């Protein structure tokens, strides 16, 4: 509706969506509904409203996922400070590491290599805190790919070695 210039109708539809979401009794489904609404608001540039809706999410997996998505939209909009702030508020280390990795990739695409490398350092730091072996292995593998894209071959190899080490511990249990 917004794309068609129907602002009033769009606002009414958003109010109705929020009302329906608030009436959902299943926490998982409610979190998904709030997540989709929050993403739409973020894409419309309504950061405060988006974060307010996101704060209604109670799911341990859904909220960190959504904050990662919000962080990604913000960095793509060129809002680095806001993106980094949202990423820092992510509570699951796997999602937080991934958020910083995605921020790093976008900054690299924007030619901001110093900032990109700082975000990657943060991704690596958070990856070391991940407690799930599978998630830790996956995080290091993906970090390795980005480091390779940045031309950081030695660091990329080190991250891949860490990924393989963790992966081998999974299969030996």
């Amino acid at each position: 509706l917004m794309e068609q210039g129907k602002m009033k109708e769009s606002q009414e539809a958003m109010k109705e969506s929020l009302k329906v979401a608030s009436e959902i009794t299943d926490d998982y489904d409610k979190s998904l509904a709030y997540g989709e609404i929050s993403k739409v608001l973020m894409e419309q540039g309504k950061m405060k409203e988006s974060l307010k809706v996101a704060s209604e999410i109670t799911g341990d997996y859904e909220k960190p996922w959504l904050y990662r998505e919000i962080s990604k939209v913000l960095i793509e909009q060129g809002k680095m400070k806001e993106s980094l702030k949202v990423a820092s508020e992510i509570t699951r280390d796997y999602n937080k590491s991934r958020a910083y990795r995605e921020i790093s990739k976008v900054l690299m695409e924007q030619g901001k290599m110093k900032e990109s490398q700082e975000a990657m350092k943060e991704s690596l730091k958070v990856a070391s805190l991940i407690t799930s072996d599978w998630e830790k292995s996956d995080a290091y593998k993906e970090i390795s790919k980005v480091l390779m894209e940045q031309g950081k071959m030695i660091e990329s190899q080190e991250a891949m070695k860490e990924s393989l080490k963790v992966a081998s511990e999974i299969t030996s249990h």
Side-chain angles (χ1 to χ4, degrees), residues 1 10-11 23 25 32 52 60 63 79-80 94 101 113 121 124 126 128-129 135 144-145 154 163-165 173:
L1 291 170
S10 175
Q11 289 173 343
E23 295 169 355
T25 56
L32 289 179
K52 185 173 186 270
D60 291 339
K63 192 170 197 169
K79 298 176 181 175
M80 185 173 77
Y94 178 73
R101 190 173 69 243
M113 292 309 290
K121 284 180 190 173
L124 274 163
V126 176
S128 71
L129 304 174
E135 289 179 347
S144 175
K145 290 178 185 178
I154 293 171
S163 173
L164 292 170
K165 179 182 156 216
H173 289 294

Side-chain angles (χ1 to χ4, degrees), residues 19-44:
K19 181 180 179 291
V20 170
S22 73
E23 295 169 355
I24 297 172
T25 56
D26 181 78
D27 284 343
Y28 178 76
D29 291 337
K30 183 181 277 194
S31 290
L32 289 179
Y34 278 135
E36 290 303 316
I37 293 167
S38 180
K39 280 178 31 182
V40 168
L41 289 167
M42 183 56 61
E43 289 165 358
Q44 293 174 349

Side-chain angles (χ1 to χ4, degrees), residues 68-69 71-80 83 98-113 115-117 119-120 146 149-150:
R68 181 184 57 76
E69 289 291 313
S71 175
K72 186 177 180 185
V73 169
L74 286 168
I75 196 65
E76 288 171 348
Q77 292 175 347
K79 298 176 181 175
M80 185 173 77
S83 176
R98 186 169 172 186
Y100 282 117
R101 190 173 69 243
E102 289 173 350
I103 291 168
S104 178
K105 284 180 74 167
V106 172
L107 289 169
M108 184 175 53
E109 291 165 6
Q110 294 172 350
K112 298 176 181 176
M113 292 309 290
E115 294 91 340
S116 173
Q117 290 170 359
M120 186 50 63
V146 176
E149 291 171 14
Q150 291 177 340

Side-chain angles (χ1 to χ4, degrees), residues 7-23:
M7 299 307 237
K8 187 175 181 182
E9 292 92 336
S10 175
Q11 289 173 343
E12 290 301 317
M14 184 56 70
K15 283 181 187 175
E16 183 63 24
S17 295
L18 285 167
K19 181 180 179 291
V20 170
S22 73
E23 295 169 355

